[in-house]
Amino acid sequence: MLSGSDTGIGHALAKYLDSLGFVVFAGVLNKDGPGAKELRHTCSQRLSVLQLDITNTTQVKEAYLAVSEKVQNAGLWGVVNNAGILGFPADGELLPMSTYRHCMEVNFFGAVEVSKTFLPLLRKSQGRLVNMSSMAGGVPLPRYAAYGASKAALSMFSGVMRQELSKWGIKVMAIHPSGFRTGIEGTAEQWDEQEKELMENLPAETRRAYGEEYLLGLRNYLLHLPSQCAPDLSPVLAAVLHALLARRPQGLYTPGKGAYVPLCIFCCFPLWFYDFF
């Protein structure tokens, strides 16, 4: 069972696992959207598209019932919590509280609810729980306070669940990809709306402290973000596949160029050196 299959990594992963012969339950935010339609059109009959807004308790329960009916007593081999949002990348002081809450609601609470709901099926099969965190969830990165905090919470949840669920043979893994072009960056309309909310809620003193030039530069940073991200998602897909199938999967995967280096520096060097880096 895979959440966030409308676009990006989730969409590519649903197609990839289907091509390998998996029975895929692809949860989507909009079952009538273009991503869902493409999955139905291009994938095999084994793939089922499920309406799944992970922040909607009713939809999570309905997805669980639909999957339970299909797998019966065999259980479910894997749950991949992939659905997530980025939020407007800006300094933590500038971000409105709504951005922090929204990131936590989707990236953390939604993933936790899906995990808790589907665990009975994983227990039957001694299966796998794979949580798509982020490089920003393992090391502090400027302008990702809201997103990074929510992914850090997901990573910690993964670590604790890895320890607690081991007595049932359930293996839990966290994926910390570096920058990939996934579609999580959102649309121009969404950014306009979030930027407007950010600017309207800034106190005059804060606006003066940062300066208009810096604030306008946030939009330029956003526009150049996709060009700094890798278009080839195959390292992430390979990591998830290994997490699902390996006899001894790693607790943490860091696919992508540069994902492992900042983590090593953060863990092994003084904090002042990491901050300078």
Side-chain angles (χ1 to χ4, degrees):
M1 207 290 295
L2 166 67
S3 66
S5 301
D6 305 72
T7 59
I9 291 172
H11 189 79
L13 187 58
K15 287 183 174 179
Y16 179 57
L17 295 177
D18 177 74
S19 72
L20 294 175
F22 282 74
V23 176
V24 179
F25 299 97
V28 294
L29 187 60
N30 181 6
K31 64 182 175 63
D32 298 317
K37 289 177 181 176
E38 187 180 344
L39 288 177
R40 291 192 192 97
H41 180 70
T42 60
C43 294
S44 72
Q45 294 298 312
R46 291 186 306 274
L47 184 139
S48 302
V49 174
L50 304 175
Q51 174 61 44
L52 182 58
D53 176 351
I54 63 171
T55 65
N56 185 316
T57 298
T58 301
Q59 290 189 17
V60 173
K61 288 179 179 176
E62 288 174 349
Y64 172 77
L65 293 174
V67 173
S68 298
E69 190 178 342
K70 287 276 184 77
V71 300
Q72 300 286 319
N73 291 324
L76 179 69
W77 180 249
V79 170
V80 182
N81 281 310
N82 168 76
I85 59 165
L86 178 62
F88 196 94
D91 299 62
E93 184 183 6
L94 303 177
L95 292 172
M97 287 306 299
S98 60
T99 299
Y100 285 95
R101 292 190 179 98
H102 196 197
C103 280
M104 289 299 292
E105 190 66 34
V106 177
N107 299 343
F108 179 60
F109 292 123
V112 170
E113 181 156 12
V114 169
S115 301
K116 284 166 59 65
T117 302
F118 280 86
L119 273 175
L121 295 181
L122 294 182
R123 190 174 284 111
K124 286 183 180 179
S125 63
Q126 295 188 323
R128 310 288 171 90
L129 175 62
V130 183
N131 292 318
M132 191 67 67
S133 183
S134 167
M135 178 174 151
V139 295
L141 297 175
R143 294 184 177 174
Y144 293 99
Y147 175 74
S150 65
K151 289 297 189 178
L154 180 60
S155 295
M156 183 58 70
F157 172 75
S158 300
V160 174
M161 297 302 277
R162 184 180 68 249
Q163 296 168 345
E164 294 177 349
L165 298 177
S166 61
K167 55 180 168 283
W168 288 288
I170 299 172
K171 291 181 168 59
V172 183
M173 288 70 63
I175 315 284
H176 281 203
S178 61
F180 286 89
R181 209 172 299 168
T182 64
I184 197 174
E185 300 86 8
T187 65
E189 291 78 13
Q190 290 171 323
W191 290 132
D192 286 341
E193 186 178 328
Q194 291 189 49
E195 185 181 37
K196 183 182 178 184
E197 183 184 8
L198 184 150
M199 294 300 185
E200 286 179 350
N201 285 282
L202 274 186
E205 185 179 338
T206 306
R207 184 184 285 269
R208 283 195 301 272
Y210 281 83
E212 293 299 325
E213 187 178 345
Y214 182 84
L215 296 173
L216 292 172
L218 293 174
R219 169 50 69 103
N220 291 329
Y221 172 79
L222 193 58
L223 293 173
H224 289 95
L225 193 57
S227 66
Q228 299 168 14
C229 298
D232 179 17
L233 300 177
S234 58
V236 186
L237 305 185
V240 175
L241 184 66
H242 190 274
L244 289 171
L245 295 184
R247 187 180 181 87
R248 292 184 178 84
Q250 303 166 27
L252 174 65
Y253 292 82
T254 54
K257 187 178 179 182
Y260 189 63
V261 174
L263 186 61
C264 283
I265 294 175
F266 180 71
C267 293
C268 301
F269 287 79
L271 280 180
W272 67 263
F273 185 83
Y274 172 80
D275 290 345
F276 174 78
F277 171 81

